[in-house]
Amino acid sequence: MPVLSDEQVATYHGDGSVLVKGMFDAEEIDLLGRAAREDRELDRRSQGREDGEGGSVRLSLWNHPGNGIYGMYARCNRIVDSMEKLLGGEVYHYHSKMILKDPEVGGAWTWHQDYGYWYQNGVLFPLLSSVMIAVDPATRENGCLQVLKGSHLMGRVNHELAGEQAGADIERVDEATKVLELVHVKMEPGDALFFHCNILHRSDRNTSPNPRWSLICCYNAARNNPYRESHHPCYTPLDKVPDSAIKDVGIKRFEDDDTDVVWMGDNDKSTSSLADLEKR
Ligand code: SIN
Ligand code: MN
């Protein structure tokens, strides 16, 4: 699978996101899904937070990619070279997270921009991007991601605490929904959605009997090194691996990985509650 084409890059810049079907094949995704679902360390480290609608959002988050299968996803050429094309230069790993949206209980995510949080971390420019990789099919019923197409062009919107989640200024979001298209991003396992850090996104609670787990890898441009330390890393060179590394490493979970994986919370010195909520 080559890096994103010029056309896909143009779609990303115009719409704020681009969906790449079948970025990972069935064998690769099967390895990721089996690793994650049987990973006691990933489960043990997961954090749940009430969504205010009766559900709870659960995720596990780590700062450095490591040498396990999650690291091979975050470091493979397919993803990193694509990110470098999108962000126009060298990138480094800002963090990765597994969204564990479980059947019936997996909670909703309120409207937000990732840069609405990351801005608090001393990152000057919105030169960050994420890729969501579907582990399970993502449908309307199990709470697929929703994006407001083109909303990244609004720039950063203020974020406020709403219950246990930080959300974008609701007046702006309401107005934006009147003029921008709301897209439900339905995904098959192995599909990848690259999305801009200023795109407004949310998701509904999972009301279905099926899980909706997704791996999200986030990157910052090397030239956008934060001007102060936060709970996410400053510039750290990223060791790329060939695309074949995913299959070569196979089911290597956190519990099997003896590298120094820094979990969110291990080195967290933040005290403000908005910064605290940024962890998600
Ligand atoms: C989602 O998985 O629905 C959203 C996750 C996120 O914004 O990090
Ligand atoms: Mn987000």
Side-chain angles (χ1 to χ4, degrees):
M1 169 76 60
V3 296
L4 296 184
S5 67
D6 292 348
E7 205 183 334
Q8 287 170 317
V9 170
T11 301
Y12 173 91
H13 288 302
D15 295 350
S17 69
V18 61
L19 178 63
V20 183
K21 304 293 289 176
M23 187 126 200
F24 296 93
D25 70 26
E27 190 188 336
E28 289 170 321
I29 281 297
D30 181 62
L31 291 169
L32 178 62
R34 281 164 54 205
R37 276 189 248 276
E38 294 157 12
D39 194 334
R40 278 168 305 197
E41 190 63 9
L42 185 80
D43 185 62
R44 198 172 71 77
R45 294 294 191 146
S46 69
Q47 318 163 21
R49 197 81 55 118
E50 300 308 312
D51 67 358
E53 299 178 19
S56 171
V57 294
R58 193 160 79 93
L59 80 164
S60 286
L61 195 152
W62 54 95
N63 275 338
H64 295 294
N67 291 327
I69 186 162
Y70 318 106
M72 297 306 114
Y73 268 83
R75 293 163 52 197
C76 72
N77 284 120
R78 233 173 309 182
I79 291 291
V80 184
D81 292 345
S82 295
M83 279 294 173
E84 295 194 328
K85 194 162 175 181
L86 291 176
L87 292 174
E90 183 188 352
V91 301
Y92 73 93
H93 184 258
Y94 196 53
H95 57 271
S96 287
K97 52 201 159 189
M98 186 70 79
I99 307 292
L100 309 143
K101 207 167 196 179
D102 294 320
E104 318 289 355
V105 293
W109 289 82
T110 195
W111 280 116
H112 68 277
Q113 299 166 315
D114 292 335
Y115 191 60
Y117 311 155
W118 298 341
Y119 180 88
Q120 312 294 331
N121 299 345
V123 186
L124 268 190
F125 299 94
L127 286 171
L128 303 101
S129 186
S130 299
V131 58
M132 173 184 259
I133 298 158
V135 177
D136 298 311
T139 63
R140 287 179 82 125
E141 293 70 35
N142 69 6
C144 67
L145 197 74
Q146 300 170 29
V147 297
L148 268 189
K149 192 170 167 180
S151 55
H152 64 306
L153 299 174
M154 292 163 61
R156 187 185 69 93
V157 169
N158 285 338
H159 282 62
E160 292 149 12
L161 287 175
E164 289 195 317
Q165 290 191 34
D169 176 351
I170 200 64
E171 183 180 314
R172 295 247 154 197
V173 172
D174 281 349
E175 292 301 325
T177 56
K178 293 178 192 165
V179 294
L180 297 173
E181 184 188 346
L182 171 64
V183 180
H184 286 77
V185 187
K186 294 183 203 122
M187 299 173 78
E188 291 299 324
D191 293 350
L193 180 78
F194 291 82
F195 61 103
H196 191 285
C197 62
N198 267 337
I199 194 148
L200 282 163
H201 57 286
R202 71 173 302 277
S203 64
D204 280 325
R205 180 174 177 178
N206 183 357
T207 55
S208 83
N210 308 311
R212 196 222 81 185
W213 285 26
S214 321
L215 176 66
I216 303 183
C217 306
C218 311
Y219 302 84
N220 186 18
R223 65 189 187 284
N224 196 31
N225 198 21
Y227 59 81
R228 60 176 159 76
E229 290 200 1
S230 79
H231 50 275
H232 291 313
C234 290
Y235 173 69
T236 313
L238 190 163
D239 280 333
K240 294 187 203 179
V241 296
D243 288 340
S244 56
I246 294 170
K247 287 178 190 167
D248 291 345
V249 159
I251 300 184
K252 186 169 180 186
R253 311 174 181 95
F254 282 124
E255 63 184 56
D256 315 312
D257 187 359
D258 53 7
T259 51
D260 187 20
V261 174
V262 180
W263 291 87
M264 184 46 48
D266 287 354
N267 63 346
D268 187 1
K269 305 280 191 303
S270 61
T271 48
S272 102
S273 50
L274 189 58
D276 187 50
L277 282 162
E278 187 281 325
K279 292 179 205 162
R280 41 203 54 247

